[in-house]
Amino acid sequence: MRPTDDTYRHKGLRKKLTAGIREKGITDERVLNAINEIPRHFFLDSAFDEAAYADRAFPIGEGQTISQPYTVAYQSQLLEVKPFDKVLEIGTGSAYQAVLLAQMGAQVYTIERQKKLFELNKKFEYLRKFPNIKFFYGDGFEGLPTYAPFDKILITAAAPEVPPKLVEQLKTGGMMVLPVGSGEVQRMMRITKLQNSAIKEEVFDHFSFVPMLEGKK
Ligand code: SAH
């Protein structure tokens, strides 16, 4: 069962989590505010109520995880999300990251390749509060050509390399944040699409994500 009650105790735990993430170096107030607002325990079974506010990744079934809050904050900060940004997310998973982007005012398009996880989110009542998120079942390597171009693209699974079709679907001046690497540990990267489709690449810290896989399941 999914919890639907956000108690004072939960709010207290969340405040501590937010303070911890600030201490780890996240400075974007809009990101911190969203972490403080979103009841992360709604995204996990009620058996894991307490674990929801530890700064850790957590299994959500189908061999997938809800990313560590610090990692979610780190990627969101690099993405420099502004209200009304049109953002494509690859790897919906629990939908926690999608909700965080929506809470920051973005128009979110999110893709999940696993049917079971996609179906689970259809039944997740809390998501109805966010009409600015659109959910898609598909292969993130293909992106969403019908809805392109996007201001921002966020990949929440480890990409073996920068997916070329996603670069195409980025606006000029747009940015993509993604972990790149095919081993256990990947490097966070930020790609900025410049005039004449030139690309600026920046490399950040090491992280460990589940792999981005081809095709649907
Ligand atoms: N953003 C998620 C993180 C989930 S983990 C959250 O906040 O919970 C990464 C997710 O990416 C998994 O659900 C996995 O199934 C999905 N994924 C992996 N490869 C994909 C692809 N090619 N297209 C879409 N989703 C993919």
Side-chain angles (χ1 to χ4, degrees):
M1 274 283 287
R2 293 280 188 100
T4 50
D5 241 24
D6 192 24
T7 65
Y8 279 110
R9 193 180 64 84
H10 291 118
K11 291 189 172 85
L13 289 170
R14 205 146 67 232
K15 219 170 174 175
K16 273 194 199 151
L17 172 67
T18 308
I21 288 173
R22 188 191 290 279
E23 265 168 39
K24 288 179 187 169
I26 301 298
T27 53
D28 186 329
E29 290 300 331
R30 273 185 295 144
V31 172
L32 291 164
N33 190 53
I35 299 273
N36 196 47
E37 289 292 321
I38 301 163
R40 191 170 186 257
H41 65 289
F42 284 9
F43 296 77
L44 300 172
D45 191 276
S46 50
F48 310 118
D49 213 59
E50 205 69 39
Y53 293 106
D55 191 12
R56 295 197 251 112
F58 212 79
I60 56 169
E62 308 309 310
Q64 299 305 324
T65 54
I66 177 169
S67 303
Q68 182 181 351
Y70 170 71
T71 306
V72 173
Y74 190 98
Q75 286 200 296
S76 305
Q77 172 161 293
L78 283 181
L79 208 58
E80 297 179 2
V81 183
K82 292 179 200 67
F84 308 110
D85 267 356
K86 194 172 155 189
V87 182
L88 173 64
E89 183 202 17
I90 311 300
T92 314
S94 70
Y96 178 74
Q97 171 78 73
V99 164
L100 192 111
L101 297 169
Q103 178 78 27
M104 293 171 74
Q107 297 292 332
V108 184
Y109 297 75
T110 182
I111 314 179
E112 174 56 55
R113 71 179 284 275
Q114 292 205 48
K115 190 82 182 230
K116 274 197 183 159
L117 294 176
F118 172 75
E119 295 292 339
L120 216 56
N121 283 328
K122 277 194 189 165
K123 288 182 246 152
F124 186 8
E125 239 4 91
Y126 173 70
L127 297 181
R128 308 226 166 113
K129 278 186 63 174
F130 299 93
N132 52 335
I133 310 177
K134 289 190 170 66
F135 294 88
F136 298 85
Y137 168 57
D139 178 1
F141 280 104
E142 300 297 322
L144 288 175
T146 323
Y147 296 89
F150 298 94
D151 296 298
K152 311 278 166 69
I153 298 178
L154 177 60
I155 306 185
T156 67
E161 57 187 47
V162 180
K165 287 184 184 168
L166 297 185
V167 178
E168 273 173 35
Q169 293 175 31
L170 210 50
K171 282 185 193 169
T172 299
M175 297 194 297
M176 170 155 57
V177 170
L178 72 163
V180 181
S182 34
E184 283 280 295
V185 175
Q186 306 94 37
R187 222 45 206 271
M188 195 66 77
M189 285 185 68
R190 181 164 64 185
I191 304 296
T192 308
K193 194 168 180 177
L194 307 171
Q195 296 292 337
N196 308 319
S197 293
I199 295 293
K200 177 172 114 183
E201 285 189 9
E202 297 167 280
V203 179
F204 299 92
D205 294 338
H206 293 94
F207 287 89
S208 190
F209 283 77
V210 297
M212 183 175 179
L213 301 170
E214 304 262 359
K216 292 190 275 189
K217 192 190 163 199

